[in-house]
Amino acid sequence: MSDSMEPNLRKTLDRRLEAENVALLKHLLSMELKRLKDEAGCDMIFLMGVDGRTFSSVIPRDLNAKQFYMLNLLKANMQHICGQLRRENLRIAIEQYKEGTVVIAGVGDNAFMTLEFSRPIVPADFQNIVSTSMKGSTVMKHILELKPINEDILNKYPKDVADELRKLSRLLFVERFEQTKQYKKNMEILQFIKDKLKDVVGVGAVDEIITLTFNEIGTSAPYMTDQLWRMFLEKAIQKHVKAMSGEIMADECYRAWMPELDKKLRSFM
């Protein structure tokens, strides 16, 4: 990510990323399943095709006896569920068993979600579970169809669906951005400056100086450029180190740290 792109990036912190390849698609599906699992309060959640394939799932690492029973129950009924979905345009079904509850929500014509609860669902929980499942099925259908996430399309959805898609696209942007070379470089430069400050002002004052200096230049670490890092370090030394440790120490830090910073910045080129 070049320095010339930086101002635009900082102005668009809520920018969206779309599922441009299979890896991003799978990641989006996984993120949404995890969010739905937490929102619905279920033990396990699956996104499956009507041919029995599992597209994505969230399952506890260690299953207790009831969870294991419900998982085997789903496997045993899979052929019946898939047959029912192929024959009928099922929207949602709730099946209660002694050991727990299974919620099945259709996702378009070729996929469905199952939410597994290792407990009976009481009537007071029905509304939240049904509304969460229906929202989730619409979001999943949007993702599987590889539709873009833009306001023209979002405005056609109910508010809860549109909001969920916006949240997912923001999360995707943040996670993908944190894998870029620019982000990793900035985190390393930040740690370099923290280490320098710690030796002069002490551990307790480092975070205060970092926060104040970022506020003064009007940005944050992930979106820094080489020029901004030089400005940042100069401000941190001339204003905050000088106030805490005196003018002589500040001058020594400036003469030693600024060339070291330049050398470190050049090492990333």
Side-chain angles (χ1 to χ4, degrees):
M1 195 174 299
S2 67
D3 291 352
S4 62
M5 293 173 62
E6 178 56 28
N8 289 332
L9 181 58
R10 294 203 309 275
K11 293 176 183 177
T12 55
L13 301 186
D14 66 338
R15 68 182 291 185
R16 313 288 191 261
L17 283 182
E18 299 169 7
E20 297 174 349
N21 55 44
V22 173
L24 286 183
L25 172 63
K26 292 178 69 175
H27 189 60
L28 268 177
L29 295 175
S30 177
M31 282 198 302
E32 176 60 5
L33 281 187
K34 289 174 183 176
R35 290 174 61 82
L36 290 174
K37 177 181 178 295
D38 292 341
E39 188 174 342
C42 59
D43 295 77
M44 296 168 276
I45 186 167
F46 301 83
L47 176 66
M48 309 187 73
V50 294
D51 56 1
R53 288 180 299 164
T54 300
F55 298 140
S56 188
S57 63
V58 182
I59 307 172
R61 180 173 298 179
D62 298 312
L63 299 176
N64 60 36
K66 285 188 176 181
Q67 290 171 336
F68 188 72
Y69 179 91
M70 295 303 297
L71 179 59
N72 283 334
L73 182 67
L74 174 64
K75 292 179 180 178
N77 290 336
M78 188 55 58
Q79 186 174 354
H80 168 72
I81 295 171
C82 290
Q84 183 182 12
L85 287 160
R86 282 194 296 266
R87 291 190 302 271
E88 303 173 19
N89 188 17
L90 176 69
R91 295 195 67 197
I92 193 163
I94 300 175
E95 299 180 352
Q96 293 266 29
Y97 300 91
K98 179 181 177 181
E99 293 78 6
T101 306
V102 178
V103 177
I104 304 167
V107 179
D109 295 331
N110 300 307
F112 64 97
M113 292 190 310
T114 61
L115 292 74
E116 302 259 314
F117 300 80
S118 61
R119 67 182 189 278
I121 297 177
V122 297
D125 293 335
F126 279 170
Q127 182 175 355
N128 175 62
I129 290 171
V130 170
S131 62
T132 298
S133 301
M134 295 301 294
K135 176 188 70 176
S137 68
T138 305
V139 171
M140 288 294 183
K141 183 174 183 289
H142 179 103
I143 296 171
L144 285 173
E145 291 177 350
L146 293 177
K147 292 181 179 178
I149 300 176
N150 58 51
E151 292 305 313
D152 287 341
I153 291 178
L154 293 179
N155 287 336
K156 299 176 183 178
Y157 287 126
K159 184 178 183 301
D160 59 341
V161 172
D163 287 346
E164 184 70 8
L165 285 166
R166 290 188 184 99
K167 289 175 186 175
L168 282 175
S169 60
R170 291 188 188 110
L171 286 172
L172 182 62
F173 171 72
V174 170
E175 292 190 15
R176 299 299 292 183
F177 179 56
E178 289 178 356
Q179 300 303 313
T180 63
K181 291 180 180 179
Q182 179 73 14
Y183 179 88
K184 292 176 181 178
K185 168 187 172 180
N186 283 337
M187 294 303 101
E188 190 170 330
I189 297 295
L190 176 61
Q191 189 59 52
F192 163 80
I193 293 175
K194 284 184 174 182
D195 291 341
K196 292 295 184 183
L197 290 171
K198 180 176 64 177
D199 293 338
V200 174
V201 300
V203 176
V206 170
D207 287 343
E208 178 185 355
I209 291 176
I210 294 294
T211 300
L212 288 172
T213 309
F214 275 129
N215 288 341
E216 288 159 6
I217 64 174
T219 187
S220 59
Y223 309 104
M224 294 287 280
T225 63
D226 289 2
Q227 181 180 357
L228 286 173
W229 276 124
R230 295 184 182 98
M231 183 190 305
F232 179 96
L233 184 57
E234 184 172 357
K235 278 183 174 291
I237 294 170
Q238 301 290 17
K239 185 171 183 179
H240 301 293
V241 172
K242 182 181 290 187
M244 294 182 181
S245 301
E247 186 172 350
I248 294 176
M249 177 59 72
D251 289 344
E252 290 179 2
C253 292
Y254 185 86
R255 287 195 298 270
W257 294 357
M258 294 303 292
E260 289 184 46
L261 175 64
D262 281 333
K263 182 178 179 181
K264 194 161 188 67
L265 290 170
R266 287 195 300 270
S267 72
F268 289 96
M269 296 176 65

